[in-house]
Amino acid sequence: MKTSDFKYDLPEELIAQHPLEKRDESRLMVLDRKNRQVNHKTFKNIIEYLEPGDCLVINNTKVIPARLYGKKVNEKNDKIDIGADVEILLLKNLGDDIWEAIVRPGKKVKEGTKIVFGVNEDNLEYATPLLEAEILEILENGNRKVKFTYKGIFNEILSQIGLMPLPPYITERLEKQDRYQTVYAEHEGSAAAPTAGLHFTEELLENIREKGIEIANVTLHVGIGTFRPVKVDDVTKHDMHSEQFYVKEEDAEKINKAKKSGHKVIACGTTSCRTLEAAADENGFVQAIEGDTDIFIYPGYKFKCTDALITNFHLPESTLIMMVSALADREFILDAYNKAVKEKYRFFSFGDAMFIN
């Protein structure tokens, strides 16, 4: 199976740069796998496809302002270097204030390098940084292990000096930072939003509950690796990134209740789907679990727990379009994507949605 098998042509103007004013008024393409039909709806119509007894699974991770801009400390005189700008993108919390991160410019940031953040650039000589970092190790993939020191609460400092790590294809400024968070975001730790969930409003979720559909939470902290391109020709040779996840007992019970009663488990987003498949046994039942997953789902994979999927439109040749092609058949998916281009759907993180039923 080749990476090029998942290619499609996308006009640049269809890449959504801003979210819609109202979350649930994005368009919804509904794929009926059994009859191989495609229907065009509005996202708030999703409730029509959910039945009492079904379980909707959402990822309640919260994006942190993970992009930091700082100044390098001169190793010779231990002073802040005015011209030495450094960008750090936090990827994964390794514990003890140590993070795996992407650091730019990488060639100038070696082991032992110290960086300061949140300093007064008008008076660098006497500036007191809000946050300090030291590069502990350069990893095989080029990322760094970074140790942070600070006074206070780390996430509060991030909220002061960090920026929201928008995907590289979003080139325009986001005016309202909360629009890159789901309305149910709770547990901080993601470097990217679980974007299928951005379409839900609190009102729509309440209407879903009132219809008798269970809503279960899972948590998977989305890494920036979700945007990493597949650089090998043979799909099976791709090295999938690892992400932290956990499922609580009460939510596992909701998911398993739907499975036992013959109802559907609907994953909201590829991250929820990855979590379900990583946590499920061979019979499709989920256990309460905490750990890391590097599960890579592509055509040929047999889904254990996920019956249907709410998702956005994904980049060509990405691991995400490979995942949805595993659920709905590659030819059917690519035909639907071509229809979406023709109908001028909005693509990627702030774009429209698809329901694979």
Side-chain angles (χ1 to χ4, degrees):
M1 189 179 303
K2 295 182 178 181
T3 299
S4 58
D5 292 337
F6 300 90
K7 188 174 183 179
Y8 68 93
D9 294 322
L10 177 67
E12 190 173 338
E13 63 268 20
L14 295 184
I15 300 174
Q17 294 295 318
H18 302 283
L20 294 181
E21 184 177 345
K22 295 184 178 179
R23 292 175 182 260
D24 61 358
E25 290 189 358
S26 54
R27 296 169 74 184
L28 176 69
M29 177 180 278
V30 180
L31 272 59
D32 181 339
R33 287 180 287 166
K34 182 178 179 181
N35 299 308
R36 296 183 74 86
Q37 292 180 344
V38 174
N39 292 300
H40 305 283
K41 300 285 185 175
T42 301
F43 190 80
K44 64 180 65 174
N45 300 131
I46 191 70
I47 194 170
E48 299 171 10
Y49 298 92
L50 309 180
E51 299 295 335
D54 289 347
C55 183
L56 173 66
V57 182
I58 58 178
N59 181 8
N60 62 6
T61 188
K62 190 172 185 177
V63 186
I64 60 173
R67 180 166 274 122
L68 297 165
Y69 291 95
K71 298 282 185 183
K72 198 168 110 174
V73 175
N74 191 307
E75 59 186 39
K76 293 181 180 179
N77 58 23
D78 212 31
K79 290 185 178 181
I80 299 170
D81 194 332
I82 294 174
D85 295 318
V86 178
E87 176 189 349
I88 287 186
L89 179 61
L90 303 177
L91 299 180
K92 188 175 183 181
N93 187 349
L94 303 176
D96 297 323
D97 292 317
I98 298 172
W99 285 73
E100 180 179 347
I102 295 173
V103 180
R104 300 188 181 98
K107 291 182 180 179
K108 294 184 179 181
V109 182
K110 301 182 171 77
E111 290 180 5
T113 299
K114 294 181 180 179
I115 306 154
V116 294
F117 306 89
V119 294
N120 182 353
E121 295 193 21
D122 295 329
N123 191 15
L124 282 178
E125 187 173 353
Y126 301 101
T128 302
L130 291 174
L131 185 65
E132 299 180 56
E134 181 178 355
I135 307 300
L136 298 182
E137 182 183 346
I138 300 175
L139 304 175
E140 288 184 5
N141 58 9
N143 295 342
R144 268 63 168 173
K145 273 189 181 180
V146 185
K147 172 75 174 180
F148 290 97
T149 54
Y150 52 90
K151 292 181 179 179
I153 299 172
F154 185 71
N155 283 342
E156 290 183 0
I157 294 170
L158 280 188
S159 68
Q160 291 182 60
I161 63 175
L163 298 175
M164 202 63 81
L166 294 177
Y169 47 74
I170 295 178
T171 58
E172 297 182 19
R173 183 179 176 185
L174 178 63
E175 296 297 333
K176 297 180 180 179
Q177 298 297 305
D178 66 340
R179 291 307 307 274
Y180 196 57
Q181 302 278 20
T182 63
V183 296
Y184 46 78
E186 183 178 359
H187 300 293
E188 294 179 321
S190 275
T195 54
L198 296 178
H199 304 284
F200 282 100
T201 63
E202 291 176 355
E203 181 182 9
L204 178 56
L205 288 168
E206 186 56 37
N207 290 340
I208 287 170
R209 290 188 186 94
E210 289 179 355
K211 189 176 177 179
I213 295 117
E214 286 277 16
I215 297 179
N217 291 286
V218 297
T219 306
L220 181 140
H221 293 313
V222 189
I224 208 72
T226 191
F227 304 116
R228 187 159 61 93
V230 178
K231 295 182 178 180
V232 292
D233 292 331
D234 182 349
V235 168
T236 63
K237 304 296 184 185
H238 176 66
D239 183 22
M240 193 68 177
H241 59 284
S242 176
E243 293 167 317
Q244 295 173 314
F245 78 100
Y246 58 88
V247 182
K248 293 182 178 178
E249 185 67 45
E250 62 193 75
D251 296 299
E253 289 176 359
K254 291 179 181 179
I255 296 163
N256 293 338
K257 180 182 177 183
K259 294 300 284 187
K260 289 175 182 176
S261 60
H263 290 94
K264 288 182 179 179
V265 174
I266 301 103
C268 177
T270 56
T271 60
S272 296
C273 180
R274 291 186 75 213
T275 305
L276 287 171
E277 296 304 307
D281 63 22
E282 292 305 314
N283 296 312
F285 295 111
V286 170
Q287 60 179 320
I289 188 173
E290 180 174 355
D292 291 353
T293 179
D294 60 358
I295 187 172
F296 181 20
I297 298 173
Y298 53 87
Y301 178 85
K302 301 299 182 184
F303 286 84
K304 297 177 290 186
C305 184
T306 307
D307 298 306
L309 176 67
I310 300 166
T311 188
N312 280 18
F313 291 89
H314 305 297
L315 277 74
E317 300 183 320
S318 65
T319 60
L320 303 181
I321 196 170
M322 293 172 188
M323 177 190 287
V324 298
S325 296
L327 185 63
D329 178 75
R330 183 182 68 88
E331 290 80 7
F332 188 32
I333 284 289
L334 290 177
D335 182 61
Y337 269 59
N338 289 328
K339 283 186 170 70
V341 169
K342 186 177 180 180
E343 296 291 330
K344 297 191 183 305
Y345 273 69
R346 301 165 74 247
F347 278 68
F348 305 159
S349 295
F350 289 141
D352 295 315
M354 172 183 284
F355 180 48
I356 303 174
N357 196 13

